[in-house]
Amino acid sequence: MHNTKKILLLLPPSFLYPMGAAYVAATIENAGYDYDIYGFFYDNRSWFKKNRISTNKDSSERTTIQNISANMSQEYLFETIDREKYDYILVGGLVGFFRWFYQMLPPIKGYNPKCKIIMGGGITKDLAENIIFEKLAVDYILKGEAETNLIELLTLLSKEKTKLNDLSRIPGLCWKDSASAIRKNTTIRFDLEKNIIRPAWDSFHINEYISLSDTLFRFNKTFFPILAGRGCPNVCQFCSPSIGRFTPCSIDSVISEIKYWVKKYKFDFFFIYSEVAFDDEIYTQNFCRRYIKEVGKPWAGQIRTDVQFSVETYRLIKESGCMFINMGFESSNDRILKIMKKKTTFNDHMRNLKHSKEAGINVFGNFMFGHETETAEEIRETFDYLNNYDLINGPSNGLAKIIVYPGTGYYRNAEKKGLIDDPFKFLLSYSMKAGISDWDIRKNDANRLNISALSDDEFYEVVCTENIKHRRLYSKRHSAVDVERRFIFNKESNFLFKGKCPTCGSLVDFDLASYHNPLNITTLCHCCYYITTLDIYKFTETEKYLEYLKFSINDSKKIVVYGSWIMELIFCGALSIPYEKIIAWVDPENPDVSSYDYFYHMPQLSLEEIKIQGYDMIISLKPRSLTTPRIIEEHGLNPHCKIINIAPDILNIDICKVMERKTVAIAGGSDSVVKVRESFISAHLNIVIDNYSNINQICNADVKYDFIIYDKYEFDTTRQELAQNSNYLINEILYTIFLLDGGYYAKC
């Protein structure tokens, strides 16, 4: 029987849905096999689950998931391998997981030498078979789609004797014969139109993957993945498509699967996870009509820029609930598009952009920099294009630097030019971090192969400069307008900002409960789906402080940043700090640690190293830390340099303008509260001010105050008491001041 062998499906670390593994699991389940899953998340947490398909007692076991902490994940995996004595371990993924496989698979083989490790996925297509066999302790390689070969291999291996002729009949199989020679079979394609197979998400830690899905688009919205087809119609030089040409699933199977997941799980929208969502206009129209009639849930997907879709088709896409379309523009320069073999032109970009915009669909683009022989002028041209047409949604989405990895045309060209001496050493050292908007572009990114026409320094200079311009433009262009503030005073007491999306005019909310960084406050417009930002310097209380900040920064020559928000500080459009003035930054959570890590040109240094830097200003992103002489003296920092906070202090605000109240209670004895109390007294305000040592005394007081001031650090522990006190119901909150220096909150 099929189910007599023990099988483990092992998933490498990722926060994304393990799409390929879900289809592998479905293939195993449909054949009646029992199997276990051990999966890793991107933060090295892991999970383990037994799936008993062949018995009727599986209902409880299928739903039992063991969650393993990050510090125990590897140990627990090895213990599981040693305990369970699996017959087969199935692994797979992209070539970017090579180092993880190299670290994990040989030790696994050591714990259970008799198990057969079977590897599939994109890595088997992109790497030489000898590297996989020799370095990863793999016994069998399966190329292509699991539906075409996996069960046949498992069935054959379960026999007492396996003949060479039998192995030769399995499509896509690679193995070593008795003489250790590598034997390879050709692959075949799985017929998606005739066969319906639904990924086995029910057997996975699916709710955790759903909750993590909001990190992909940074929308604060979760999505569920759907394949409308497999493969890609093109082979670009920077990419290695999964399995060849694009073949669509039948519309019946796609709609049926979508309806199934809608009933099973809670999420915000579907995302068509295929490398290409649609490439045929008639198919697209028929899908949209069915989707309108039978589903109606919001969705999004990816479309190539060379599709010949009419405005009418885009209107139908919009009508079916499409939130946005992702298009892989990659570059706006025809020479670069030709070099990357994109098979599209700038005119293709503009035609599709025109048709989709005319239909009312927002198009968000993907762009890559550092193509073969790409110049600084061509990089700037592409940045100008994406900025002019507002093709990037959110400050961090859609931009990447070229990564040269095995399986791509760029990699093969680099080998021919002698840029890669040892493929194995390259695999162990090369960087797969492609981002340019976060921490993944650094001056010390030595493990990235640069194939552009620029030197490393020239490439980083142009990309950093243009990306900063882009990020600042985005923060200004998409900053909410007509913003109002209020305090929601209940068990989830929090500040709420309401404003209008500058793109479409719809109302947007900013809930500050989830933000600890006032320079990185964003929300999603639920009408146009653009990410909208909140500019903290637009308010009356902060406009003058912004002028003070700009004057101070412009007057300085060398700046040290104290705080971990350096990315948001540099990208803040309101401040527009000359970033070349910043010589270093220090992490306040680890002030004595020097990682020599870089954000753009700026190294992270320890406080000891900061002391010997020739700086004349410290910008503090931790307002209650470097602002007091005691801290400066304690760390031996320059007492003569100027120290400023990115957020205003209470004494910079004219309290009289907003304090037209009769009774005020002030609680606490911190430096900030004392300063507030003194400033009120010196202002000779015509109000009654009562002082308390803590906020609980206010809750128990007989007086009904219409303005309360207390230290923020008492706020978290006492907000429920205040909210439940009859004197301070939400309808009696008259006004709110949000002070951004982190020292205190004032409420009325």
Side-chain angles (χ1 to χ4, degrees):
M1 293 178 62
H2 283 319
N3 55 27
T4 59
K5 298 295 183 179
K6 301 186 73 172
I7 300 172
L8 175 68
L9 181 57
L10 178 61
L11 314 180
S14 178
F15 69 89
L16 299 174
Y17 291 93
M19 203 76 188
Y23 279 99
V24 170
T27 301
I28 298 171
E29 290 187 8
N30 291 341
Y33 282 91
D34 294 340
Y35 68 102
D36 299 344
I37 304 180
Y38 200 106
F40 283 80
F41 294 115
Y42 69 101
D43 56 3
N44 213 38
R45 290 181 299 119
S46 59
W47 58 278
F48 177 70
K49 187 178 183 184
K50 290 178 175 290
N51 293 290
R52 297 294 172 257
I53 309 304
S54 61
T55 65
N56 293 324
K57 63 179 182 179
D58 62 341
S59 58
S60 61
E61 289 187 280
R62 276 180 72 103
T63 57
T64 301
I65 297 174
Q66 293 175 256
N67 292 295
I68 301 99
S69 63
N71 62 329
M72 293 295 295
S73 285
Q74 184 169 313
E75 180 181 345
Y76 192 88
L77 171 63
F78 291 153
E79 289 176 355
T80 303
I81 298 291
D82 188 42
R83 180 183 67 251
E84 297 292 339
K85 305 298 182 187
Y86 293 104
D87 297 291
Y88 310 117
I89 296 178
L90 312 182
V91 297
L94 300 176
V95 69
F97 292 119
F98 177 83
R99 282 196 293 273
W100 189 85
F101 290 137
Y102 181 67
Q103 294 168 359
M104 302 297 286
L105 296 185
I108 285 174
K109 195 73 168 180
Y111 279 97
N112 187 3
K114 293 183 179 180
C115 78
K116 301 298 181 183
I117 298 179
I118 303 171
M119 176 168 278
I123 190 172
T124 65
K125 181 176 65 68
D126 295 336
L127 285 188
E129 293 84 3
N130 65 304
I131 292 181
I132 295 176
F133 283 127
E134 294 172 10
K135 303 299 184 181
L136 303 183
V138 168
D139 296 286
Y140 296 96
I141 297 172
L142 283 178
K143 298 186 180 184
E145 297 155 284
E147 297 91 345
T148 66
N149 50 30
L150 176 58
I151 300 306
E152 189 174 354
L153 176 62
L154 293 177
T155 303
L156 194 59
L157 293 178
S158 66
K159 296 180 179 180
E160 291 185 6
K161 292 184 179 180
T162 302
K163 298 179 180 179
L164 177 62
N165 289 340
D166 294 331
L167 292 174
S168 300
R169 291 197 296 265
I170 300 177
L173 175 65
C174 299
W175 78 102
K176 283 187 175 183
D177 62 20
S178 57
S180 294
I182 296 176
R183 309 291 295 268
K184 296 186 286 187
N185 301 337
T186 58
T187 61
I188 62 173
R189 291 296 299 271
F190 183 62
D191 193 334
L192 292 171
E193 293 187 354
K194 294 182 180 179
N195 298 284
I196 297 177
I197 182 167
R198 186 173 64 219
W201 291 124
D202 294 333
S203 299
F204 282 63
H205 200 343
I206 187 60
N207 287 317
E208 183 69 10
Y209 285 110
I210 291 174
S211 69
L212 289 172
S213 67
D214 68 348
T215 61
L216 181 61
F217 297 105
R218 309 185 187 189
F219 280 178
N220 250 359
K221 279 182 170 291
T222 57
F223 72 87
F224 204 91
I226 287 291
L227 285 190
R230 295 180 184 175
C232 183
N234 196 25
V235 183
C236 300
Q237 291 287 81
F238 59 81
C239 183
S240 178
S242 57
I243 50 172
R245 64 180 176 82
F246 177 76
T247 56
C249 301
S250 70
I251 294 177
D252 285 341
S253 68
V254 177
I255 295 295
S256 174
E257 182 182 336
I258 287 174
K259 291 163 69 175
Y260 177 83
W261 299 128
V262 167
K263 292 179 181 179
K264 289 279 291 186
Y265 302 109
K266 292 183 179 181
F267 50 91
D268 295 309
F269 68 100
F270 281 104
F271 186 73
I272 300 180
Y273 227 49
S274 321
E275 291 167 275
V276 178
F278 311 113
D279 72 340
D280 179 81
E281 188 162 25
I282 300 300
Y283 180 101
T284 305
Q285 293 173 349
N286 291 335
F287 170 84
C288 290
R289 293 189 184 101
R290 288 279 303 275
Y291 197 91
I292 292 170
K293 183 178 179 181
E294 300 180 41
V295 184
K297 197 176 184 72
W299 67 276
Q302 303 179 108
I303 296 179
R304 282 178 55 84
T305 59
D306 58 348
V307 295
Q308 302 291 324
F309 285 2
S310 64
V311 177
E312 289 71 26
T313 297
Y314 278 117
R315 287 194 178 117
L316 191 58
I317 291 173
K318 173 74 172 179
E319 184 184 351
S320 69
C322 180
M323 299 164 58
F324 60 89
I325 289 174
N326 269 109
M327 287 189 180
F329 297 101
E330 317 308 349
S331 174
S332 65
N333 183 274
D334 280 335
R335 186 186 79 86
I336 297 301
L337 290 170
K338 186 175 181 180
I339 285 175
M340 74 176 79
K341 297 184 179 180
K342 182 71 175 174
K343 295 184 179 179
T344 60
T345 65
F346 178 75
N347 288 335
D348 291 330
H349 294 353
M350 295 307 298
R351 182 188 64 251
N352 271 287
L353 196 57
K354 178 177 181 295
H355 287 178
S356 57
K357 291 286 188 180
E358 189 174 332
I361 295 179
N362 278 328
V363 173
F364 304 137
N366 297 317
F367 295 87
M368 305 182 79
F369 304 95
H371 295 276
E372 276 186 335
T373 73
E374 190 170 27
T375 66
E377 290 73 20
E378 289 165 334
I379 291 174
R380 292 189 188 99
E381 177 185 323
T382 296
F383 267 104
D384 288 343
Y385 173 68
L386 67 91
N387 285 331
N388 291 339
Y389 291 94
D390 205 14
L391 294 176
I392 298 298
N393 185 28
S396 303
N397 297 332
L399 303 180
K401 60 180 184 282
I402 288 294
I403 298 298
V404 178
Y405 64 92
T408 65
Y410 284 158
Y411 182 89
R412 291 188 290 271
N413 292 346
E415 277 191 309
K416 292 175 184 177
K417 295 176 181 178
L419 300 177
I420 301 171
D421 297 327
D422 187 326
F424 174 61
K425 289 183 179 179
F426 183 84
L427 284 166
L428 289 181
S429 63
Y430 84 112
S431 172
M432 277 292 285
K433 294 181 177 180
I436 69 169
S437 292
D438 291 321
W439 296 93
D440 297 330
I441 180 167
R442 302 179 174 107
K443 287 282 281 189
N444 62 346
D445 189 8
N447 295 328
R448 175 188 167 273
L449 185 60
N450 179 13
I451 58 173
S452 72
L454 307 170
S455 68
D456 286 346
D457 285 343
E458 290 170 335
F459 174 76
Y460 283 113
E461 179 63 28
V462 65
V463 172
C464 290
T465 301
E466 292 301 316
N467 189 44
I468 288 173
K469 287 166 55 180
H470 157 67
R471 290 287 296 263
R472 291 176 176 178
L473 175 63
Y474 188 96
S475 69
K476 290 180 178 179
R477 177 184 285 166
H478 292 281
S479 175
V481 297
D482 300 335
V483 178
E484 298 177 355
R485 295 161 296 169
R486 68 172 64 174
F487 191 80
I488 304 302
F489 205 25
N490 51 30
K491 290 184 179 181
E492 290 77 34
S493 299
N494 194 27
F495 287 99
L496 181 69
F497 289 73
K498 286 183 174 292
K500 292 181 180 178
C501 169
T503 304
C504 68
S506 300
L507 292 177
V508 292
D509 293 340
F510 298 89
D511 185 351
L512 266 63
S514 57
Y515 292 99
H516 303 285
N517 178 354
L519 296 181
N520 186 32
I521 303 173
T522 62
T523 192
L524 180 71
C525 175
H526 298 289
C527 181
C528 69
Y529 299 105
Y530 267 102
I531 293 177
T532 306
T533 64
L534 176 67
D535 184 352
I536 64 168
Y537 297 109
K538 276 189 174 180
F539 304 110
T540 304
E541 301 95 325
T542 55
E543 283 180 344
K544 289 185 178 180
Y545 193 73
L546 177 61
E547 295 178 9
Y548 162 73
L549 285 176
K550 287 183 173 181
F551 175 81
S552 300
I553 291 169
N554 289 335
D555 198 40
S556 68
K557 295 180 179 179
K558 291 185 178 181
I559 300 172
V560 167
V561 175
Y562 184 89
S564 56
W565 310 333
I566 186 167
M567 179 176 70
E568 290 81 2
L569 176 70
I570 298 301
F571 293 154
C572 178
L575 286 172
S576 295
I577 293 177
Y579 74 96
E580 63 277 2
K581 289 187 176 185
I582 300 178
I583 61 173
W585 62 284
V586 60
D587 184 353
E589 302 301 325
N590 298 287
D592 299 322
V593 174
S594 174
S595 66
Y596 286 95
D597 209 350
Y598 283 77
F599 180 72
Y600 288 3
H601 73 285
M602 295 157 265
Q604 177 185 348
L605 302 179
S606 68
L607 279 172
E608 286 300 315
E609 291 164 324
I610 289 292
K611 293 177 186 178
I612 62 174
Q613 304 298 316
Y615 56 92
D616 57 7
M617 173 178 285
I618 296 175
I619 296 180
S620 174
L621 308 182
K622 293 279 286 184
R624 288 179 65 88
S625 55
L626 276 185
T627 54
T628 65
R630 181 183 61 80
I631 297 296
I632 297 174
E633 181 179 351
E634 179 181 314
H635 292 290
L637 299 175
N638 181 3
H640 304 295
C641 74
K642 192 176 185 67
I643 301 175
I644 62 172
N645 296 328
I646 53 97
D649 181 82
I650 184 74
L651 300 181
N652 297 101
I653 299 174
D654 187 357
I655 301 297
C656 300
K657 293 181 180 179
V658 293
M659 285 288 298
E660 298 175 358
R661 300 290 176 257
K662 295 181 179 179
T663 58
V664 174
I666 302 178
S670 68
D671 291 344
S672 296
V673 171
V674 169
K675 286 183 180 180
V676 175
R677 184 181 290 112
E678 291 175 351
S679 66
F680 283 2
I681 294 172
S682 62
H684 302 291
L685 299 176
N686 188 26
I687 56 178
V688 176
I689 301 176
D690 292 338
N691 298 309
Y692 295 89
S693 59
N694 61 67
I695 203 165
N696 290 317
Q697 294 177 354
I698 299 178
C699 294
N700 298 323
D702 295 330
V703 181
K704 185 176 180 181
Y705 296 100
D706 57 12
F707 199 93
I708 305 169
I709 298 170
Y710 54 89
D711 192 292
K712 114 170 187 175
Y713 296 103
E714 294 186 23
F715 173 73
D716 292 334
T717 59
T718 58
R719 58 183 174 183
Q720 291 190 23
E721 287 85 345
L722 269 178
Q724 294 169 358
N725 190 291
S726 60
N727 285 344
Y728 306 107
L729 298 178
I730 186 170
N731 60 359
E732 295 178 2
I733 303 303
L734 305 176
Y735 193 83
T736 299
I737 310 169
F738 177 41
L739 300 177
L740 300 164
D741 76 336
Y744 42 80
Y745 291 83
K747 302 168 303 304
C748 59

